[in-house]
Amino acid sequence: MTPQTLKKALLSVLALIVAALWAGPVYWMLNSAFLDKITLSSTTPQFTPLGGSGDNFVAVIKDSGFLRALGVSLTVTVITVIVAIAVAFLGALAISRFTFRGRRSFVIALLLIQMLPAEGLFIAQYKMMSSLNMLNNVLGLSALYAAAVIPFTIWMLRGFVAGVPPELEEAAMVDGLSRTQAFLRITFPLLAPGLVASGVYAFLQCWNEFTVALVTMTEEQRRTLPLWLRGFIQASANREIDWGQVMAASTLVAVPVIIFFMLVQSRMSSGLVGGAVKG
Amino acid sequence: MSAISPPAPAGRSRSSDRRRRKGSGSLPALLLVPSLIILLGALAYPMVWQVITSFQKFGLAQQFGQGADFVGLENYRRIVTDGEVWVVVLRSIGFCLFCAFTTVLIGGLLALLMRGVGTVTRAILQVALLLAWAMPVVATMTVWIWIVDWRRGLLNWALTHLGVDASGHNWLASPTSFFAVAAAIVVWMSVPFVALSISAALTQISPEVLEAASLDGATGIQRVRYIVMPLVAPVLSLVLLLQIVWDLRVFTQVKFLQDAGGFANQTDVLGTFIYRLGTGSGDFGTASAVSVLMLVLTLLVSWPYVRSLLKESV
């Protein structure tokens, strides 16, 4: 074996160990989700889900707490995605198709806002919602979520809108379409991938969000899925809990996210540092 | 919001600048009205309230509905002079910098590693990183808390088998090991983004250039120092900046670990501290002042990033 191939082999082994470290916890979640309580409470862990069952999933799905939280999460997410995409789309049109006074300041404000941490504002939002009597209100939470995702959604859509040349629209207008018709029949279909990508982004944000939900959804009946998952962890501080069920619940929360994330990942990560790479 | 939210510009054609329609009356304003209503209502209003409140004193009387008095900079003075607040600020900044630099270091090394291995191994590593990146933060927390669980966790079992007697050791019970666990989790969930971004930047470097340099006699270290580094430096500083911004706001991770058994008063970071002040003791004055500090710190760190985005397009 030449030093060159030895080095390559060592690097490959190292890479596989690293891969195991990063995929490990995800695997551990899936693995534990299929094992029953007795297997999980033995002193030696079981490393494969062989001999396991889907009982934990059945138990979680039958749990009324899960179904309620799923309902709240889905409602908030759907409302937010629809509102945010519609509103952000109009905003993206404004900043990419028109020049107007204050446009640059507006864009700067958007970029700065989307860097702001929710944790730096959530107590103020909590006070506002409480004085409006909107705590534990699905619409209230959706409004806060919409405000959180709109800046970035506008920025993302702006790129897509700018990618469709206005000349296409103008050509259609020369051919006799009205401006609205030209927009709806020429530009809009070309923007569909952009709308889907930003919709997925908004979905991921709402589905995973914990901080703002924690302060505004204080009643148990109004918990979103992340808050419901936290309930198990709180219980684990004082007593031994059924980790198999917690992992099954986590899996149910994570799987839609992993699927959607994989769908848009390449677009998101290339965009993230795109400017710097292009140099 | 969460740590996976990437502020990605979908940077497109620069030429669109020239194609923009000028004027068109009040149409652009109308298009912006819905965004402005939501942003002003849900972000700007609470922000203004927060700045005003940060100059007020909240105590017992205010919980019974009395208006709060203005006390000037008193709340801000407390941040610096009150030991409890100051410790939280320093702890947050320290934790944030530690996690951000560690993440970028490990991410950079993994990006180099990806370049050094074959296609299949690289693909396996990439999929593993993507899986970890895709995990929702709450699911990440439940599985990690299960792994470090003191009764039946995988970690203690593995350590015991490696010869360290860790059975029954509760990692969340002391602040030092609490933050070691927190840092491990934060780094674990942030490394994929950094590694894949740097790896993407590395693929932009053509092998011919490196080959030419080595023919000219440049050693491995020299090639990294003079060819690779200058080309990936912009990406490196960008991801470092984003990590600093994201790690300053760690909330979910610390909150979950506290719920699982950490002592809240010794393990607070900015986010959880604000949460405790605001919802627990009703001290909105101090909570607002700390929040304003957090926002200002974020804006200061973010500014170079925003400027680089603006330069690229707009």
Side-chain angles (χ1 to χ4, degrees):
Chain A
M1 211 184 234
T2 66
Q4 203 62 38
T5 54
L6 180 69
K7 191 182 149 202
K8 193 134 195 176
L10 283 177
L11 283 180
S12 298
V13 171
L14 181 63
L16 291 178
I17 294 173
V18 170
L21 277 178
W22 260 268
V26 183
Y27 173 75
W28 201 242
M29 173 180 82
L30 293 170
N31 180 47
S32 309
F34 288 99
L35 298 174
D36 59 48
K37 200 172 175 175
I38 297 162
T39 318
L40 288 175
S41 54
S42 86
T43 39
T44 318
Q46 188 178 330
F47 288 93
T48 61
L50 294 176
S53 70
D55 290 353
N56 289 328
F57 290 99
V58 175
V60 168
I61 290 169
K62 278 190 181 154
D63 180 355
S64 62
F66 171 76
L67 288 180
R68 211 167 36 217
L70 178 70
V72 175
S73 268
L74 277 179
T75 318
V76 172
T77 305
V78 169
I79 296 175
T80 308
V81 169
I82 293 174
V83 171
I85 297 303
V87 168
F89 177 60
L90 299 180
L93 277 182
I95 62 167
S96 59
R97 281 290 156 85
F98 300 99
T99 47
F100 52 90
R101 258 206 12 229
R103 181 175 153 278
R104 196 181 147 82
S105 320
F106 181 71
V107 174
I108 294 179
L110 285 183
L111 293 173
L112 285 175
I113 289 171
Q114 58 105 9
M115 298 299 285
L116 292 181
E119 292 75 18
L121 208 55
F122 68 157
I123 287 305
Q125 287 177 328
Y126 162 77
K127 274 296 268 188
M128 178 177 84
M129 289 317 215
S130 132
S131 63
L132 291 172
N133 242 335
M134 296 267 276
L135 288 179
N136 296 301
N137 184 319
V138 169
L139 285 177
L141 184 60
S142 307
L144 295 183
Y145 281 1
V149 295
I150 280 174
F152 179 65
T153 318
I154 293 181
W155 180 248
M156 196 165 164
L157 282 172
R158 176 208 62 98
F160 287 101
V161 176
V164 179
E167 285 84 352
L168 274 181
E169 235 173 87
E170 279 152 22
M173 283 158 73
V174 170
D175 288 346
L177 290 184
S178 74
R179 186 159 178 187
T180 323
Q181 280 174 324
F183 176 77
L184 285 178
R185 292 172 53 179
I186 310 290
T187 314
F188 197 73
L190 289 169
L191 289 174
L195 292 172
V196 170
S198 18
V200 172
Y201 163 78
F203 161 80
L204 292 176
Q205 292 302 311
C206 303
W207 189 259
N208 292 342
E209 211 283 335
F210 173 73
T211 310
V212 176
L214 179 68
V215 292
T216 55
M217 305 305 246
T218 47
E219 279 171 24
E220 194 168 334
Q221 309 288 319
R222 296 292 178 184
R223 281 179 180 176
T224 58
L225 281 173
L227 296 181
W228 172 76
L229 264 186
R230 172 187 177 235
F232 286 107
I233 296 302
Q234 285 177 302
S236 81
N238 304 314
R239 60 186 167 84
E240 200 142 353
I241 57 168
D242 188 345
W243 281 105
Q245 280 193 22
V246 184
M247 289 302 110
S250 307
T251 305
L252 289 175
V253 174
V255 164
V257 172
I258 293 179
I259 292 173
F260 277 114
F261 184 84
M262 294 292 181
L263 289 179
V264 295
Q265 182 275 328
S266 58
R267 176 160 282 139
M268 293 209 298
S269 60
S270 66
L272 252 171
V273 286
V277 180
K278 261 184 274 162
Chain B
M1 290 167 83
S2 87
I4 66 154
S5 71
R12 291 280 169 111
S13 68
R14 202 173 279 263
S15 60
S16 64
D17 261 37
R18 279 176 279 117
R19 299 187 192 155
R20 251 176 234 130
R21 276 178 274 226
K22 209 159 184 140
S24 290
S26 55
L27 189 53
L30 281 177
L31 293 173
L32 283 176
V33 166
S35 314
L36 286 174
I37 289 175
I38 294 184
L39 294 178
L40 291 176
L43 294 176
Y45 173 78
M47 213 178 288
V48 171
W49 178 89
Q50 183 161 282
V51 171
I52 295 172
T53 308
S54 71
F55 297 114
Q56 292 177 330
K57 179 151 186 65
F58 276 81
L60 206 55
Q62 281 69 41
Q63 294 196 9
F64 294 100
Q66 243 183 56
D69 292 330
F70 278 90
V71 290
L73 290 171
E74 171 63 22
N75 291 321
Y76 291 95
R77 200 181 58 80
R78 270 199 60 202
I79 295 181
V80 192
T81 53
D82 184 318
E84 196 200 0
V85 192
W86 192 225
V87 162
V88 172
V89 173
L90 286 184
R91 189 191 287 142
S92 283
I93 294 176
F95 182 76
C96 154
L97 292 178
F98 175 81
C99 289
F101 279 94
T102 313
T103 304
V104 172
L105 180 70
I106 296 180
L109 290 176
L110 291 193
L112 288 175
L113 181 63
M114 272 188 247
R115 239 179 119 77
V117 297
T119 330
V120 178
T121 323
R122 187 189 308 137
I124 293 173
L125 183 52
Q126 276 172 344
V127 169
L129 290 174
L130 275 177
L131 269 180
W133 187 5
M135 277 284 273
V137 59
V138 283
T140 301
M141 291 318 297
T142 55
V143 66
W144 274 96
I145 289 170
W146 164 221
I147 289 174
V148 303
D149 182 61
W150 61 276
R151 301 178 190 93
R152 313 258 174 248
L154 183 62
L155 178 68
N156 284 356
W157 176 86
L159 284 176
T160 308
H161 270 249
L162 289 171
V164 189
D165 184 25
S167 60
H169 181 76
N170 187 347
W171 297 92
L172 305 179
S174 101
T176 321
S177 60
F178 177 97
F179 277 107
V181 171
I185 298 174
V186 169
V187 169
W188 180 84
M189 49 191 286
S190 327
V191 157
F193 158 66
V194 173
L196 294 170
S197 301
I198 298 177
S199 156
L202 285 177
T203 55
Q204 309 277 313
I205 300 169
S206 74
E208 287 85 8
V209 177
L210 291 174
E211 206 179 303
S214 73
L215 284 177
D216 287 344
T219 63
I221 293 173
Q222 283 175 326
R223 289 199 301 267
V224 169
R225 167 76 185 79
Y226 294 108
I227 299 174
V228 178
M229 275 313 277
L231 286 168
V232 293
V235 180
L236 220 52
S237 52
L238 208 70
V239 290
L240 180 64
L241 185 152
L242 286 172
Q243 286 308 323
I244 291 176
V245 169
W246 290 337
D247 290 347
L248 189 66
R249 74 209 294 187
V250 284
F251 176 81
T252 313
Q253 296 89 330
V254 174
K255 186 86 191 111
F256 266 72
L257 290 175
Q258 288 181 345
D259 287 339
F263 299 102
N265 52 353
Q266 289 169 46
T267 53
D268 265 331
V269 289
L270 285 172
T272 56
F273 184 65
I274 296 168
Y275 175 74
R276 218 151 50 83
L277 282 182
T279 59
S281 48
D283 185 356
F284 292 108
T286 316
S288 296
V290 178
S291 303
V292 170
L293 173 79
M294 194 171 174
L295 294 179
V296 169
L297 281 179
T298 306
L299 288 181
L300 286 178
V301 182
S302 312
W303 183 241
Y305 173 65
V306 169
R307 239 186 20 200
S308 80
L309 286 184
L310 280 174
K311 228 179 284 166
E312 182 210 336
S313 49
V314 172

